[in-house]
Amino acid sequence: MKRTFKASLKHLNSFAVEARAGQLLELETGQDLQIFSTGFRFDPTHDLILGSGSNILFAADVEGTVILNRIPGKRIITESGDGVLVEACGGENWHQLVLWSLEQGLSGIENLSLIPGLAGAAPMQNIGAYGVELADLLDSVQALDLEKGELHEFAHRDCEFAYRDSRFKSTDAGKYLITRIRLRLQREFKANLNYAGLAEELQVMGIDVPTAKQVSQAVIRIRQRKLPDPCVIGNAGSFFKNPVVSRTTADMLEKEFHGLPRYPLSENETKLSAAWLIEQCGWKGRSMGGAAVSDQHALVLVNQDNATGSEILALANAIGESVQDRFDIKLQPEPRIVRS
Ligand SMILES: Cc1cc2nc3c(=O)[nH]c(=O)nc-3n(C[C@H](O)[C@H](O)[C@H](O)COP(=O)(O)OP(=O)(O)OC[C@H]3O[C@@H](n4cnc5c(N)ncnc54)[C@H](O)[C@@H]3O)c2cc1C
């Protein structure tokens, strides 16, 4: 187990903001995990589990220990009929897992190509993109109970998945370290092209009947065009969740604000576009201190000029107030925010 005292977290978060940890512990093997589970007392008020840092904003230092789960491993567990059960350890890179599954002739997660991060973080906010979310394919999650030091198995129904949410992010935040995930993938490919932009992209590529690999390539092309690359300019993808409101509220807003995009979720619930709301408030491309709203995508906050985490948070708060004042809607941040 690698241990570093007084470590900088600047290269461990995709916003690339400076923050420090009292100690950094890197778990690289199953043996490291065993030593950690028996010998370390995790305190969620001071300590933190970190994946690749692509969904976190450090607006303060971490006083205690930052634990990095870097344990690798992925394999096919069972195959029956068309269904294939695949297992990935928490330290596996998510996008590499997607590419590997495609190489194995498996499909199901191709729409989730190029999402940054590690497999262990994927269930946290039930990662999703282009009409698919992890919950659609997840079989189970294994996690270490940080208080008891015991491994626990969660079936899909126990994970309390919702839009960008799960029990690990909400009710049980700071209680578990996710050690591995199991996914149900397929041999027979059924394209999910419900997201209109994806079908259009495939048309531009001259593809009528796509393979899973071609869907993955189309997703990669769209993402590379639409989203600022964190290696070039620090960001954490979408900073706000798309708000979910009642149908009555959406109807009222639509009457007042012409062109309001709305996506029905159920008979009573409607999802709105946070990017549209932010753009209407005039924030796209604007900066505050070293932080800015991307001019490529209004939902993405960027570290434009050596921003501190607090500057990015101040910008997020200012945007939230604008949207609240104009539309009476409270935006919820998507990334975890570390505050003092
Ligand atoms: C350019 C860009 C595009 C993105 N696009 C999308 C997208 O399309 N869809 C989407 O859903 N997300 C997207 N994201 C957000 C992010 O990629 C995902 O949320 C990803 O799953 C975060 O993984 P990570 O390893 O970086 O987690 P981190 O940012 O390190 O951690 C996120 C949270 O998970 C916790 N955590 C991490 N690992 C574990 C573990 N093993 N056990 C317990 N808790 C853990 C952390 O404590 C923290 O609370 C994007 C981010 C960027 C920068």
Side-chain angles (χ1 to χ4, degrees), residues 237-254:
S238 303
F239 195 89
F240 297 102
K241 291 187 192 184
N242 287 319
V244 176
V245 297
S246 69
R247 206 177 70 179
T248 325
T249 306
D251 289 345
M252 270 165 36
L253 283 166
E254 199 175 19

Side-chain angles (χ1 to χ4, degrees), residues 12 14-15 48-56 67 69-70 90-91 94 112-130 143 146 164 168-169 174 176-179 223 227-230 235-238 300 334-336:
L12 293 172
S14 63
F15 267 122
L48 176 87
I49 311 287
L50 191 62
S52 74
S54 65
N55 207 23
I56 198 158
I67 294 112
N69 178 10
R70 297 293 186 256
W94 173 261
L112 304 180
S113 296
L114 213 61
I115 296 183
L118 303 184
M124 289 296 292
Q125 72 154 7
N126 179 21
I127 55 167
Y130 303 99
L146 291 160
R164 297 296 176 275
F168 308 107
K169 187 171 177 180
Y176 294 100
L177 184 156
I178 295 172
T179 47
R223 294 185 72 96
L227 292 168
D229 180 352
N235 75 86
S238 303
V300 181
E334 201 181 285
R336 171 157 185 190

